[in-house]
PDB file of all heavy atoms in Angstrom:
ATOM      1  N   THR Z1092     -12.353-192.297  16.184  1.00  0.00           N
ATOM      2  CA  THR Z1092     -11.572-193.323  16.844  1.00  0.00           C
ATOM      3  C   THR Z1092     -10.851-192.759  18.054  1.00  0.00           C
ATOM      4  O   THR Z1092     -10.558-191.561  18.111  1.00  0.00           O
ATOM      5  CB  THR Z1092     -10.528-193.932  15.872  1.00  0.00           C
ATOM      6  OG1 THR Z1092      -9.781-194.946  16.530  1.00  0.00           O
ATOM      7  CG2 THR Z1092      -9.557-192.866  15.380  1.00  0.00           C
ATOM      8  N   GLU Z1093     -10.615-193.616  19.042  1.00  0.00           N
ATOM      9  CA  GLU Z1093      -9.728-193.289  20.148  1.00  0.00           C
ATOM     10  C   GLU Z1093      -8.424-194.043  19.932  1.00  0.00           C
ATOM     11  O   GLU Z1093      -8.421-195.174  19.436  1.00  0.00           O
ATOM     12  CB  GLU Z1093     -10.347-193.684  21.497  1.00  0.00           C
ATOM     13  CG  GLU Z1093     -11.320-192.661  22.035  1.00  0.00           C
ATOM     14  CD  GLU Z1093     -11.739-192.944  23.463  1.00  0.00           C
ATOM     15  OE1 GLU Z1093     -11.676-194.121  23.886  1.00  0.00           O
ATOM     16  OE2 GLU Z1093     -12.130-191.998  24.163  1.00  0.00           O
ATOM     17  N   ILE Z1094      -7.315-193.413  20.316  1.00  0.00           N
ATOM     18  CA  ILE Z1094      -5.995-193.989  20.071  1.00  0.00           C
ATOM     19  C   ILE Z1094      -5.358-194.367  21.406  1.00  0.00           C
ATOM     20  O   ILE Z1094      -5.346-193.572  22.346  1.00  0.00           O
ATOM     21  CB  ILE Z1094      -5.103-192.994  19.313  1.00  0.00           C
ATOM     22  CG1 ILE Z1094      -5.797-192.528  18.035  1.00  0.00           C
ATOM     23  CG2 ILE Z1094      -3.751-193.619  18.987  1.00  0.00           C
ATOM     24  CD1 ILE Z1094      -5.079-191.403  17.311  1.00  0.00           C
ATOM     25  N   TYR Z1095      -4.838-195.576  21.466  1.00  0.00           N
ATOM     26  CA  TYR Z1095      -4.182-196.093  22.669  1.00  0.00           C
ATOM     27  C   TYR Z1095      -2.734-196.474  22.343  1.00  0.00           C
ATOM     28  O   TYR Z1095      -2.435-196.890  21.224  1.00  0.00           O
ATOM     29  CB  TYR Z1095      -4.909-197.331  23.194  1.00  0.00           C
ATOM     30  CG  TYR Z1095      -6.310-197.074  23.688  1.00  0.00           C
ATOM     31  CD1 TYR Z1095      -7.369-196.954  22.788  1.00  0.00           C
ATOM     32  CD2 TYR Z1095      -6.583-196.955  25.046  1.00  0.00           C
ATOM     33  CE1 TYR Z1095      -8.662-196.722  23.231  1.00  0.00           C
ATOM     34  CE2 TYR Z1095      -7.879-196.720  25.499  1.00  0.00           C
ATOM     35  CZ  TYR Z1095      -8.905-196.601  24.585  1.00  0.00           C
ATOM     36  OH  TYR Z1095     -10.190-196.362  25.032  1.00  0.00           O
ATOM     37  N   VAL Z1096      -1.864-196.306  23.333  1.00  0.00           N
ATOM     38  CA  VAL Z1096      -0.476-196.762  23.204  1.00  0.00           C
ATOM     39  C   VAL Z1096      -0.142-197.636  24.397  1.00  0.00           C
ATOM     40  O   VAL Z1096      -0.788-197.555  25.448  1.00  0.00           O
ATOM     41  CB  VAL Z1096       0.526-195.577  23.130  1.00  0.00           C
ATOM     42  CG1 VAL Z1096       0.303-194.750  21.879  1.00  0.00           C
ATOM     43  CG2 VAL Z1096       0.428-194.698  24.376  1.00  0.00           C
ATOM     44  N   THR Z1097       0.867-198.470  24.240  1.00  0.00           N
ATOM     45  CA  THR Z1097       1.317-199.284  25.366  1.00  0.00           C
ATOM     46  C   THR Z1097       1.815-198.360  26.479  1.00  0.00           C
ATOM     47  O   THR Z1097       2.484-197.358  26.225  1.00  0.00           O
ATOM     48  CB  THR Z1097       2.440-200.236  24.940  1.00  0.00           C
ATOM     49  OG1 THR Z1097       3.385-199.536  24.124  1.00  0.00           O
ATOM     50  CG2 THR Z1097       1.897-201.405  24.145  1.00  0.00           C
ATOM     51  N   CYS Z1098       1.479-198.700  27.700  1.00  0.00           N
ATOM     52  CA  CYS Z1098       1.824-197.869  28.855  1.00  0.00           C
ATOM     53  C   CYS Z1098       3.335-197.683  28.949  1.00  0.00           C
ATOM     54  O   CYS Z1098       4.096-198.651  28.920  1.00  0.00           O
ATOM     55  CB  CYS Z1098       1.292-198.523  30.129  1.00  0.00           C
ATOM     56  SG  CYS Z1098       1.669-197.613  31.634  1.00  0.00           S
ATOM     57  N   SER Z1099       3.762-196.433  29.058  1.00  0.00           N
ATOM     58  CA  SER Z1099       5.196-196.138  29.125  1.00  0.00           C
ATOM     59  C   SER Z1099       5.784-196.416  30.500  1.00  0.00           C
ATOM     60  O   SER Z1099       7.007-196.483  30.658  1.00  0.00           O
ATOM     61  CB  SER Z1099       5.445-194.666  28.755  1.00  0.00           C
ATOM     62  OG  SER Z1099       4.829-193.804  29.695  1.00  0.00           O
ATOM     63  N   VAL Z1100       4.922-196.589  31.508  1.00  0.00           N
ATOM     64  CA  VAL Z1100       5.400-196.857  32.863  1.00  0.00           C
ATOM     65  C   VAL Z1100       5.778-198.328  33.022  1.00  0.00           C
ATOM     66  O   VAL Z1100       6.856-198.668  33.525  1.00  0.00           O
ATOM     67  CB  VAL Z1100       4.350-196.447  33.909  1.00  0.00           C
ATOM     68  CG1 VAL Z1100       4.830-196.778  35.316  1.00  0.00           C
ATOM     69  CG2 VAL Z1100       4.033-194.959  33.795  1.00  0.00           C
ATOM     70  N   CYS Z1101       4.878-199.212  32.573  1.00  0.00           N
ATOM     71  CA  CYS Z1101       5.121-200.651  32.743  1.00  0.00           C
ATOM     72  C   CYS Z1101       5.463-201.352  31.437  1.00  0.00           C
ATOM     73  O   CYS Z1101       5.662-202.565  31.411  1.00  0.00           O
ATOM     74  CB  CYS Z1101       3.902-201.315  33.369  1.00  0.00           C
ATOM     75  SG  CYS Z1101       2.421-201.254  32.323  1.00  0.00           S
ATOM     76  N   ARG Z1102       5.494-200.591  30.335  1.00  0.00           N
ATOM     77  CA  ARG Z1102       5.794-201.155  29.012  1.00  0.00           C
ATOM     78  C   ARG Z1102       4.799-202.250  28.627  1.00  0.00           C
ATOM     79  O   ARG Z1102       5.161-203.260  28.031  1.00  0.00           O
ATOM     80  CB  ARG Z1102       7.225-201.717  28.963  1.00  0.00           C
ATOM     81  CG  ARG Z1102       8.310-200.681  29.222  1.00  0.00           C
ATOM     82  CD  ARG Z1102       8.257-199.571  28.216  1.00  0.00           C
ATOM     83  NE  ARG Z1102       9.271-198.541  28.478  1.00  0.00           N
ATOM     84  CZ  ARG Z1102       9.336-197.387  27.810  1.00  0.00           C
ATOM     85  NH1 ARG Z1102       8.465-197.117  26.872  1.00  0.00           N
ATOM     86  NH2 ARG Z1102      10.285-196.505  28.104  1.00  0.00           N
ATOM     87  N   GLY Z1103       3.548-202.029  28.966  1.00  0.00           N
ATOM     88  CA  GLY Z1103       2.503-202.944  28.537  1.00  0.00           C
ATOM     89  C   GLY Z1103       2.258-204.123  29.439  1.00  0.00           C
ATOM     90  O   GLY Z1103       1.388-204.957  29.159  1.00  0.00           O
ATOM     91  N   LYS Z1104       2.967-204.229  30.544  1.00  0.00           N
ATOM     92  CA  LYS Z1104       2.818-205.383  31.434  1.00  0.00           C
ATOM     93  C   LYS Z1104       1.608-205.249  32.360  1.00  0.00           C
ATOM     94  O   LYS Z1104       1.089-206.244  32.860  1.00  0.00           O
ATOM     95  CB  LYS Z1104       4.086-205.568  32.268  1.00  0.00           C
ATOM     96  CG  LYS Z1104       5.321-205.911  31.429  1.00  0.00           C
ATOM     97  CD  LYS Z1104       6.563-206.052  32.319  1.00  0.00           C
ATOM     98  CE  LYS Z1104       7.790-206.357  31.474  1.00  0.00           C
ATOM     99  NZ  LYS Z1104       9.016-206.477  32.310  1.00  0.00           N
ATOM    100  N   GLY Z1105       1.174-204.008  32.603  1.00  0.00           N
ATOM    101  CA  GLY Z1105       0.049-203.778  33.492  1.00  0.00           C
ATOM    102  C   GLY Z1105       0.481-203.195  34.823  1.00  0.00           C
ATOM    103  O   GLY Z1105       1.302-203.802  35.517  1.00  0.00           O
ATOM    104  N   CYS Z1106      -0.033-202.022  35.157  1.00  0.00           N
ATOM    105  CA  CYS Z1106       0.316-201.357  36.420  1.00  0.00           C
ATOM    106  C   CYS Z1106      -0.857-200.512  36.866  1.00  0.00           C
ATOM    107  O   CYS Z1106      -1.895-200.455  36.206  1.00  0.00           O
ATOM    108  CB  CYS Z1106       1.579-200.505  36.245  1.00  0.00           C
ATOM    109  SG  CYS Z1106       1.378-199.101  35.108  1.00  0.00           S
ATOM    110  N   SER Z1107      -0.695-199.838  37.994  1.00  0.00           N
ATOM    111  CA  SER Z1107      -1.783-199.018  38.519  1.00  0.00           C
ATOM    112  C   SER Z1107      -2.081-197.822  37.620  1.00  0.00           C
ATOM    113  O   SER Z1107      -3.221-197.355  37.544  1.00  0.00           O
ATOM    114  CB  SER Z1107      -1.436-198.539  39.935  1.00  0.00           C
ATOM    115  OG  SER Z1107      -0.234-197.776  39.926  1.00  0.00           O
ATOM    116  N   PHE Z1108      -1.054-197.304  36.934  1.00  0.00           N
ATOM    117  CA  PHE Z1108      -1.253-196.132  36.078  1.00  0.00           C
ATOM    118  C   PHE Z1108      -2.197-196.462  34.920  1.00  0.00           C
ATOM    119  O   PHE Z1108      -3.053-195.666  34.559  1.00  0.00           O
ATOM    120  CB  PHE Z1108       0.096-195.644  35.546  1.00  0.00           C
ATOM    121  CG  PHE Z1108       0.013-194.349  34.778  1.00  0.00           C
ATOM    122  CD1 PHE Z1108      -0.005-193.132  35.435  1.00  0.00           C
ATOM    123  CD2 PHE Z1108      -0.056-194.345  33.394  1.00  0.00           C
ATOM    124  CE1 PHE Z1108      -0.092-191.936  34.733  1.00  0.00           C
ATOM    125  CE2 PHE Z1108      -0.144-193.161  32.688  1.00  0.00           C
ATOM    126  CZ  PHE Z1108      -0.161-191.950  33.359  1.00  0.00           C
ATOM    127  N   CYS Z1109      -2.017-197.646  34.313  1.00  0.00           N
ATOM    128  CA  CYS Z1109      -2.852-198.037  33.168  1.00  0.00           C
ATOM    129  C   CYS Z1109      -3.997-198.943  33.593  1.00  0.00           C
ATOM    130  O   CYS Z1109      -4.640-199.578  32.748  1.00  0.00           O
ATOM    131  CB  CYS Z1109      -2.009-198.723  32.099  1.00  0.00           C
ATOM    132  SG  CYS Z1109      -1.188-200.239  32.648  1.00  0.00           S
ATOM    133  N   LYS Z1110      -4.235-199.024  34.918  1.00  0.00           N
ATOM    134  CA  LYS Z1110      -5.310-199.840  35.484  1.00  0.00           C
ATOM    135  C   LYS Z1110      -5.170-201.305  35.074  1.00  0.00           C
ATOM    136  O   LYS Z1110      -6.147-201.974  34.718  1.00  0.00           O
ATOM    137  CB  LYS Z1110      -6.672-199.286  35.069  1.00  0.00           C
ATOM    138  CG  LYS Z1110      -6.895-197.861  35.554  1.00  0.00           C
ATOM    139  CD  LYS Z1110      -8.214-197.299  35.087  1.00  0.00           C
ATOM    140  CE  LYS Z1110      -8.387-195.861  35.546  1.00  0.00           C
ATOM    141  NZ  LYS Z1110      -9.658-195.262  35.075  1.00  0.00           N
ATOM    142  N   LYS Z1111      -3.930-201.771  35.081  1.00  0.00           N
ATOM    143  CA  LYS Z1111      -3.591-203.172  34.809  1.00  0.00           C
ATOM    144  C   LYS Z1111      -3.908-203.613  33.378  1.00  0.00           C
ATOM    145  O   LYS Z1111      -3.859-204.813  33.077  1.00  0.00           O
ATOM    146  CB  LYS Z1111      -4.324-204.110  35.785  1.00  0.00           C
ATOM    147  CG  LYS Z1111      -4.073-203.810  37.251  1.00  0.00           C
ATOM    148  CD  LYS Z1111      -2.619-203.995  37.635  1.00  0.00           C
ATOM    149  CE  LYS Z1111      -2.390-203.716  39.111  1.00  0.00           C
ATOM    150  NZ  LYS Z1111      -0.965-203.895  39.499  1.00  0.00           N
ATOM    151  N   SER Z1112      -4.210-202.663  32.505  1.00  0.00           N
ATOM    152  CA  SER Z1112      -4.575-203.029  31.132  1.00  0.00           C
ATOM    153  C   SER Z1112      -3.371-203.077  30.193  1.00  0.00           C
ATOM    154  O   SER Z1112      -3.409-203.729  29.153  1.00  0.00           O
ATOM    155  CB  SER Z1112      -5.597-202.035  30.581  1.00  0.00           C
ATOM    156  OG  SER Z1112      -5.007-200.746  30.400  1.00  0.00           O
ATOM    157  N   GLY Z1113      -2.310-202.335  30.544  1.00  0.00           N
ATOM    158  CA  GLY Z1113      -1.151-202.248  29.661  1.00  0.00           C
ATOM    159  C   GLY Z1113      -1.288-201.213  28.572  1.00  0.00           C
ATOM    160  O   GLY Z1113      -0.359-200.982  27.797  1.00  0.00           O
ATOM    161  N   TRP Z1114      -2.476-200.540  28.507  1.00  0.00           N
ATOM    162  CA  TRP Z1114      -2.738-199.549  27.465  1.00  0.00           C
ATOM    163  C   TRP Z1114      -3.166-198.226  28.098  1.00  0.00           C
ATOM    164  O   TRP Z1114      -3.799-198.211  29.145  1.00  0.00           O
ATOM    165  CB  TRP Z1114      -3.837-200.021  26.516  1.00  0.00           C
ATOM    166  CG  TRP Z1114      -3.480-201.251  25.739  1.00  0.00           C
ATOM    167  CD1 TRP Z1114      -3.693-202.554  26.109  1.00  0.00           C
ATOM    168  CD2 TRP Z1114      -2.821-201.293  24.473  1.00  0.00           C
ATOM    169  NE1 TRP Z1114      -3.218-203.399  25.148  1.00  0.00           N
ATOM    170  CE2 TRP Z1114      -2.681-202.664  24.132  1.00  0.00           C
ATOM    171  CE3 TRP Z1114      -2.336-200.323  23.591  1.00  0.00           C
ATOM    172  CZ2 TRP Z1114      -2.080-203.078  22.949  1.00  0.00           C
ATOM    173  CZ3 TRP Z1114      -1.740-200.734  22.412  1.00  0.00           C
ATOM    174  CH2 TRP Z1114      -1.608-202.095  22.095  1.00  0.00           C
ATOM    175  N   VAL Z1115      -2.830-197.127  27.425  1.00  0.00           N
ATOM    176  CA  VAL Z1115      -3.212-195.792  27.877  1.00  0.00           C
ATOM    177  C   VAL Z1115      -3.869-195.054  26.718  1.00  0.00           C
ATOM    178  O   VAL Z1115      -3.313-194.997  25.608  1.00  0.00           O
ATOM    179  CB  VAL Z1115      -1.991-194.984  28.370  1.00  0.00           C
ATOM    180  CG1 VAL Z1115      -2.413-193.579  28.775  1.00  0.00           C
ATOM    181  CG2 VAL Z1115      -1.327-195.693  29.537  1.00  0.00           C
ATOM    182  N   GLU Z1116      -5.057-194.488  26.966  1.00  0.00           N
ATOM    183  CA  GLU Z1116      -5.739-193.696  25.941  1.00  0.00           C
ATOM    184  C   GLU Z1116      -5.006-192.373  25.785  1.00  0.00           C
ATOM    185  O   GLU Z1116      -4.794-191.651  26.753  1.00  0.00           O
ATOM    186  CB  GLU Z1116      -7.202-193.466  26.343  1.00  0.00           C
ATOM    187  CG  GLU Z1116      -8.040-192.813  25.265  1.00  0.00           C
ATOM    188  CD  GLU Z1116      -8.106-191.303  25.399  1.00  0.00           C
ATOM    189  OE1 GLU Z1116      -8.241-190.818  26.533  1.00  0.00           O
ATOM    190  OE2 GLU Z1116      -7.990-190.614  24.368  1.00  0.00           O
ATOM    191  N   ILE Z1117      -4.603-192.065  24.556  1.00  0.00           N
ATOM    192  CA  ILE Z1117      -3.717-190.922  24.337  1.00  0.00           C
ATOM    193  C   ILE Z1117      -4.326-189.832  23.460  1.00  0.00           C
ATOM    194  O   ILE Z1117      -3.912-188.687  23.509  1.00  0.00           O
ATOM    195  CB  ILE Z1117      -2.380-191.410  23.706  1.00  0.00           C
ATOM    196  CG1 ILE Z1117      -1.280-190.367  23.873  1.00  0.00           C
ATOM    197  CG2 ILE Z1117      -2.580-191.787  22.235  1.00  0.00           C
ATOM    198  CD1 ILE Z1117      -0.806-190.225  25.283  1.00  0.00           C
ATOM    199  N   ALA Z1118      -5.339-190.160  22.649  1.00  0.00           N
ATOM    200  CA  ALA Z1118      -5.874-189.158  21.724  1.00  0.00           C
ATOM    201  C   ALA Z1118      -7.225-189.576  21.181  1.00  0.00           C
ATOM    202  O   ALA Z1118      -7.606-190.753  21.225  1.00  0.00           O
ATOM    203  CB  ALA Z1118      -4.906-188.945  20.561  1.00  0.00           C
ATOM    204  N   GLY Z1119      -7.931-188.595  20.654  1.00  0.00           N
ATOM    205  CA  GLY Z1119      -9.150-188.826  19.892  1.00  0.00           C
ATOM    206  C   GLY Z1119      -8.928-188.313  18.485  1.00  0.00           C
ATOM    207  O   GLY Z1119      -8.200-187.334  18.275  1.00  0.00           O
ATOM    208  N   ALA Z1120      -9.534-188.969  17.501  1.00  0.00           N
ATOM    209  CA  ALA Z1120      -9.283-188.591  16.113  1.00  0.00           C
ATOM    210  C   ALA Z1120     -10.419-189.086  15.227  1.00  0.00           C
ATOM    211  O   ALA Z1120     -11.364-189.736  15.692  1.00  0.00           O
ATOM    212  CB  ALA Z1120      -7.946-189.168  15.638  1.00  0.00           C
ATOM    213  N   GLY Z1121     -10.315-188.793  13.947  1.00  0.00           N
ATOM    214  CA  GLY Z1121     -11.306-189.265  12.985  1.00  0.00           C
ATOM    215  C   GLY Z1121     -11.294-188.441  11.720  1.00  0.00           C
ATOM    216  O   GLY Z1121     -10.544-187.460  11.594  1.00  0.00           O
TER     217      GLY Z1121
END
Side-chain angles (χ1 to χ4, degrees):
T1092 181
E1093 278 190 335
I1094 306 172
Y1095 295 80
V1096 296
T1097 44
C1098 179
S1099 64
V1100 178
C1101 64
R1102 299 301 178 187
K1104 296 179 181 179
C1106 65
S1107 59
F1108 186 82
C1109 61
K1110 299 177 182 178
K1111 304 297 181 180
S1112 68
W1114 296 90
V1115 178
E1116 188 266 318
I1117 198 71

